[in-house]
Amino acid sequence: MSELSPPTGTGPLAKREARLAWGLLLPTLTAVALVILLPLIAIFWISFKPVELADLRAPEVVLREDIRGDDDAVGDEAVIRYRLRNSSQDQPIAGVTFADTLPLGLNVQEVDPRCILDDRALRCDLGDWDPGTRETITLPVIIEQAYLDGGLRPQDSPASTTGTSSNVLTNATFTLDNFKRLFSGDEFFEVLWVTLFYTVFGTIGALVVGLFAALLLNKSFRGQGILRGLYLFPYVAPVIAVAFAWLILFDPFSGSANALLVQMGVTPQAINFFGERPLALIMVTIFEIWRYFPLSFLFILARMQSIDSDMYEAADMDGASPFQQFWYLSVPQLLGILSVLFLLRFIWTFNKFDDIFLLTGGNAGTRTLTVNVYEQAFAVSNIGAGAAVAVVIFACLLTFSVFFLKYISQEEGL
Amino acid sequence: MRALRFNAVTSPLLGALWMVVLSTTIAVIMSFATGAAFRPHLLFALFWGGIIGWTIGHRLGDFWGEVMGTIALAILIVMGFGPLSIGTETGWFPSAFAAIALSTAFTYSVHVILDDLPHGALNRHEFERAVIRFLTGFGYIFFSAIVLIPFYVMVMTSFKNQAELMQNPLDFSIDLSKGAALFRSYDELFTQFNFGTYLFNSFFISVLTVIITLAFAIPGAYAVARLRFQGRALFSRSILLIYMVPMIVLALPIYIAFSTTGLRNTFSGIVMIYPVTTIPVALYMLQGYFRGLPAEVEEAGLMDGLSRLAVIWKITLPLSLPALASVSLYVFMIAWNEFLLAFMLLDDPSKFTLTRGIASLNSSEIPRQHLMAGSVIATVPIMALFLGLERFMTKGLTAGSVKG
């Protein structure tokens, strides 16, 4: 007896559908590959290279061309001068050449031995250049009538230059120095500790505060919509605006928060909230909680409102008190969303850059890994070192993602 | 806990704590509104709060009794024995106003919190109900304060000038007699600091980002949600992963690539980058929505001889207008608020976006009311949009994104 089973393999219809699907996905895949995968590969590449900010400009041959002497009348003697230099002080350029076309009506008297003049086409081969080389090539000429008629001056025709230089970004120099330097100092472990503190407390804080806000608004009354909108403000406003508002509010010299605390007698003198260890780290963590509690609030509220209310009525009948109902009915139902929110927020807080960068710039013991990328690359101008930190961040991210994917499958629909 | 569950303990305790909360609140409000010296007096607050809590919890007075108590409390405050101490230089009107506001608010709210407590021992239910009412009141005050104060300071600072700010950082009262001069920093931002251009740039870039993002995300999301092909599950997972790659990791190579190709300082560079950061979000939100649409409608369309693309265009898209609205709003918000890439990639002041423009105001030479006015200019449009379309926005946020 033959077994009945659904047909296996792909029929023509399924193949057509798959083709259409890939067709629809192609633009997205291309864009993502170009702007996300390519940079990701690039950052690994750069992290093994001794790149400085200044290396981004490849050395090039800079050329200035002018004519000296009189060129107003037939028979005047003049000199065409080409001044060339290597734009880099520390990198050589190989095989420097330049080519130019002379205007009509110039009788060239003498050609530099490195150059060939073929009719009006000038070509010079200047060989290999050391860093910082300067050269001047002169071409004495006598003016003829055609030059005056043509009205073209030598500098009107742009001269072209060639020359190859080894670019540190593309050559085969690789080194582990960036990573060695990164892991050798104590600084790295402080940065790591700060990042973990910020991430763990920022995440838990935002979840707990969000849970309270959700409990507060989990009943319908007039103005509930307005309050919900209001509580989302910190998340919706541009980070740059709220970060500066906090800076001004907590300014040590003329901030309102300090004035208020002094007036209430909480503190005898002004506190430098964003400038002192360890207060600055606590403040940026509080800022993180303040800015992202709306998100957890929104998600938790959405989940709360989907819990069946019959359950609470039954519990009421059985004499469960409000706190018991919260603990034994609500919390178990919310655990799923809370764990997913925790993982997501954990990853995003770990990756957060703008907030700390704007509030403290990484000073006063608030330098996290992401701020360190910026510091190394732009403040210290060592792009390679910045890339090495970025690679470390990416490695952490991959580890978190494994956890995340394990849990997200249980909580689909987020 | 059990020891607390007697009306004689619960009501004075909650009353005392509530008085501390309320007197602090009123002191902060009055300080921020007038700049005068208001501070809560902790001992008196506990004492009077406890006494009033006890009397109301035991319903010792009728309505008129409570009115008399309220008046007495206000008089105590003005005389300096109340839960709120008022600086001697404060004028009579703010003093009286604070005293009446605190005493009325307190009597009323304590009445609400404690009114139905029975005499003697309380059961767990009754006790927790009172505690929850207390916590709810505290919650409203707490959350409103933490949300409103930074924005209040932002707006009010933008109306002041440097001298006024240094003189009394607490005084946010507005001198209406100045008239249009109040808006001086806004005026200067638009006339001298090019904020009109920045506003336009931000708007232009954000709208373009929304359009490009949707153009990429709609077909992609449809394919992931509806069509069967190998690697579908893997693909929808990868979207989430990509969505978690930190921008700062990508920013370095992008900076290098843009520097060498001359795309730095151009709109085209920015408009190339922004959508890619938002496509994964949009894709994820949209595919969730598409999946929720009834497949039967589309199948009917296919049966009637429409091609897949025609089905998407004529059936799926019109059905998903609300989702498209919320995705657009969310993408607009991300693009409008974006700071890092604009900061790294734009150096030319004529090409600044608003966030980049505000960052350039952060220098010691530019007075800070300008910085705050700039912040207000960047915040108001997105808030207006958000409040006007709040329903879409919250739906969009919960529909599949917790990016921040």
Side-chain angles (χ1 to χ4, degrees):
Chain A
M1 192 177 137
S2 69
E3 230 171 284
L4 282 176
S5 65
T8 52
T10 41
L13 214 60
K15 271 188 192 145
R16 217 173 65 196
E17 197 167 295
R19 253 204 315 276
L20 176 69
W22 286 111
L24 290 175
L25 285 173
L26 194 68
T28 311
L29 285 176
T30 323
V32 168
L34 277 179
V35 187
I36 292 182
L37 295 184
L38 216 59
L40 273 183
I41 297 166
I43 200 101
F44 276 91
W45 177 271
I46 302 165
S47 68
F48 292 105
K49 290 195 155 281
V51 196
E52 307 257 318
L53 206 53
D55 296 330
L56 290 188
R57 264 219 190 125
E60 53 180 6
V61 182
V62 181
L63 183 142
R64 285 218 175 75
E65 182 183 2
D66 58 4
I67 185 161
R68 298 167 68 83
D70 297 326
D71 61 344
D72 304 328
V74 174
D76 277 353
E77 289 185 9
V79 174
I80 302 177
R81 194 172 62 157
Y82 296 96
R83 282 174 298 167
L84 300 104
R85 65 181 173 86
N86 181 348
S87 67
S88 162
Q89 291 298 322
D90 43 38
Q91 297 224 31
I93 306 181
V96 178
T97 67
F98 89 88
D100 194 17
T101 311
L102 300 182
L104 277 171
L106 289 177
N107 185 358
V108 177
Q109 301 296 299
E110 186 194 342
V111 179
D112 191 284
R114 289 167 293 181
C115 301
I116 305 161
L117 184 67
D118 178 14
D119 188 16
R120 284 162 45 224
L122 178 74
R123 214 188 119 72
C124 302
D125 191 345
L126 302 177
D128 297 345
W129 274 8
D130 291 332
T133 302
R134 285 167 184 278
E135 288 268 5
T136 305
I137 287 176
T138 52
L139 218 59
V141 292
I142 293 179
I143 308 293
E144 293 175 353
Q145 185 59 39
Y147 175 78
L148 302 174
D149 294 344
L152 275 178
R153 297 171 59 101
Q155 54 265 47
D156 291 338
S157 65
S160 63
T161 61
T162 65
T164 51
S165 58
S166 156
N167 187 336
V168 68
L169 279 173
T170 50
N171 68 14
T173 326
F174 292 99
T175 148
L176 280 173
D177 283 358
N178 294 327
F179 289 99
K180 263 189 220 148
R181 204 180 319 153
L182 178 63
F183 290 115
S184 63
D186 291 341
E187 201 205 46
F188 178 76
F189 293 96
E190 202 206 311
V191 168
L192 198 64
W193 189 85
V194 168
T195 312
L196 284 179
F197 178 93
Y198 179 70
T199 311
V200 171
F201 287 99
T203 307
I204 295 178
L207 279 187
V208 171
V209 176
L211 178 64
F212 280 129
L215 284 172
L216 209 56
L217 288 192
N218 187 28
K219 49 188 152 198
S220 43
F221 54 90
R222 267 178 51 167
Q224 195 242 25
I226 296 172
L227 276 185
R228 193 175 55 189
L230 186 73
Y231 290 178
L232 286 171
F233 267 25
Y235 176 71
V236 178
V239 58
I240 188 154
V242 285
F244 283 138
W246 271 58
L247 278 182
I248 279 174
L249 180 62
F250 288 103
D251 189 278
F253 305 109
S254 51
S256 316
N258 269 314
L260 198 64
L261 289 179
V262 169
Q263 191 190 90
M264 298 211 168
V266 179
T267 162
Q269 71 210 21
I271 303 169
N272 191 356
F273 283 100
F274 284 107
E276 272 170 25
R277 284 161 191 265
L279 192 61
L281 181 56
I282 295 172
M283 284 304 289
V284 292
T285 312
I286 292 176
F287 180 81
E288 160 79 19
I289 296 172
W290 178 79
R291 192 159 142 70
Y292 293 102
F293 89 83
L295 267 183
S296 13
F297 149 68
L298 211 57
F299 280 83
I300 295 169
L301 185 64
R303 177 56 52 94
M304 275 179 177
Q305 290 181 339
S306 70
I307 298 178
D308 202 355
S309 63
D310 292 355
M311 213 158 44
Y312 292 99
E313 280 161 26
D316 247 347
M317 300 289 264
D318 291 342
S321 76
F323 280 111
Q324 282 172 325
Q325 288 178 22
F326 171 70
W327 192 247
Y328 294 106
L329 290 181
S330 305
V331 169
Q333 303 243 8
L334 295 176
L335 270 185
I337 191 86
L338 285 175
S339 64
V340 169
L341 271 177
F342 177 80
L343 273 166
L344 275 174
R345 285 300 333 150
F346 191 88
I347 292 171
W348 272 308
T349 312
F350 191 86
N351 295 343
K352 202 78 217 143
F353 168 77
D354 329 25
D355 303 38
I356 294 188
F357 178 72
L358 285 170
L359 286 174
T360 66
N363 297 321
T366 58
R367 186 175 305 169
T368 58
L369 278 169
T370 48
V371 177
N372 206 17
V373 174
Y374 186 88
E375 278 286 309
Q376 298 286 351
F378 292 97
V380 192
S381 306
N382 191 343
I383 292 204
V389 185
V391 166
V392 172
I393 296 179
F394 189 66
C396 297
L397 180 81
L398 275 185
T399 321
F400 298 146
S401 302
V402 172
F403 279 101
F404 176 73
L405 284 184
K406 253 184 158 163
Y407 283 93
I408 193 81
S409 49
Q410 296 168 11
E411 190 72 22
E412 200 56 72
L414 210 166
Chain B
M1 270 312 193
R2 201 165 285 267
L4 292 178
R5 294 217 304 259
F6 288 93
N7 191 345
V9 184
T10 309
S11 53
L13 191 68
L14 289 183
L17 290 176
W18 186 241
M19 184 62 103
V20 172
V21 172
L22 266 197
S23 55
T24 313
T25 311
I26 298 279
V28 171
I29 291 176
M30 291 308 291
S31 301
F32 271 135
T34 65
F38 288 90
R39 58 191 273 192
H41 193 295
L42 215 56
L43 282 181
F44 279 134
L46 289 170
F47 180 69
W48 293 119
I51 288 185
I52 300 172
W54 189 76
T55 51
I56 291 183
H58 290 79
R59 282 177 294 282
L60 294 182
D62 57 359
F63 175 76
W64 288 109
E66 284 179 16
V67 171
M68 297 302 286
T70 308
I71 293 170
L73 183 63
I75 292 171
L76 274 170
I77 293 170
V78 175
M79 283 167 58
F81 301 105
L84 188 68
S85 43
I86 301 171
T88 45
E89 282 151 41
T90 313
W92 69 268
F93 179 71
S95 311
F97 182 81
I100 293 169
L102 177 57
S103 47
T104 329
F106 182 78
T107 317
Y108 174 75
S109 48
V110 152
H111 193 103
V112 172
I113 294 174
L114 300 174
D115 188 45
D116 57 358
L117 279 187
H119 291 274
L122 309 175
N123 65 30
R124 201 169 164 161
H125 223 104
E126 292 154 344
F127 171 71
E128 284 180 9
R129 204 164 50 211
V131 171
I132 284 174
R133 280 195 200 128
F134 169 82
L135 287 176
T136 309
F138 175 74
Y140 286 132
I141 291 175
F142 174 77
F143 280 105
S144 306
I146 62 167
V147 170
L148 285 177
I149 287 176
F151 290 98
Y152 177 78
V153 168
M154 186 200 291
V155 174
M156 289 307 175
T157 307
S158 71
F159 290 134
K160 297 262 159 185
N161 64 42
Q162 196 77 3
E164 290 169 332
L165 285 171
M166 292 306 272
Q167 204 183 16
N168 184 357
L170 267 181
D171 187 1
F172 286 110
S173 57
I174 293 277
D175 184 5
L176 284 177
S177 62
K178 283 202 287 186
L182 275 177
F183 294 93
R184 225 189 67 204
S185 31
Y186 292 89
D187 185 49
E188 282 172 6
L189 282 184
F190 279 106
T191 52
Q192 295 165 24
F193 290 88
N194 258 337
F195 259 63
T197 319
Y198 302 164
L199 201 63
F200 174 77
N201 289 351
S202 263
F203 185 76
F204 175 70
I205 288 175
S206 305
V207 168
L208 265 184
T209 305
V210 170
I211 294 171
I212 298 173
T213 304
L214 286 183
F216 279 86
I218 290 174
Y222 185 83
V224 176
R226 271 284 186 273
L227 303 177
R228 276 155 306 190
F229 59 97
Q230 282 222 316
R232 182 164 92 157
L234 184 78
F235 190 83
S236 61
R237 287 270 160 99
S238 331
I239 301 172
L240 264 176
L241 277 188
I242 284 168
Y243 173 24
M244 287 190 275
V245 174
M247 209 52 229
I248 185 79
V249 169
L250 303 179
L252 262 188
I254 290 173
Y255 176 85
I256 293 173
F258 275 27
S259 298
T260 48
T261 53
L263 278 170
R264 254 179 72 200
N265 266 325
T266 59
F267 281 151
S268 28
I270 289 285
V271 171
M272 275 163 64
I273 291 297
Y274 277 14
V276 182
T277 65
T278 51
I279 284 173
V281 196
L283 201 61
Y284 196 72
M285 287 163 79
L286 279 177
Q287 60 107 9
Y289 189 85
F290 286 161
R291 212 167 263 169
L293 288 179
E296 290 78 11
V297 191
E298 289 176 21
E299 277 155 18
L302 284 174
M303 289 297 195
D304 286 347
L306 288 177
S307 72
R308 267 288 178 188
L309 295 179
V311 165
I312 298 178
W313 183 249
K314 288 192 178 141
I315 299 176
T316 315
L317 284 190
L319 280 178
S320 34
L321 277 181
L324 292 180
S326 71
V327 172
S328 308
L329 251 177
Y330 191 56
V331 169
F332 187 90
M333 185 192 100
I334 294 180
W336 182 271
N337 291 353
E338 208 287 331
F339 164 72
L340 170 64
L341 288 169
F343 182 71
M344 283 177 88
L345 300 177
L346 298 175
D347 301 322
D348 174 1
S350 71
K351 302 219 167 70
F352 280 0
T353 60
L354 261 183
T355 51
R356 181 68 185 85
I358 296 169
S360 73
L361 291 180
N362 183 26
S363 92
S364 50
E365 286 109 65
I366 297 171
R368 55 186 212 186
Q369 69 269 24
H370 284 71
L371 186 63
M372 285 297 95
S375 301
V376 172
I377 293 173
T379 309
V380 164
I382 195 73
M383 289 298 188
L385 205 60
F386 166 69
L387 283 181
L389 300 161
E390 196 240 315
R391 213 162 344 126
F392 288 120
M393 188 84 171
T394 46
K395 221 182 232 150
L397 285 173
T398 40
S401 50
V402 273
K403 188 166 174 80

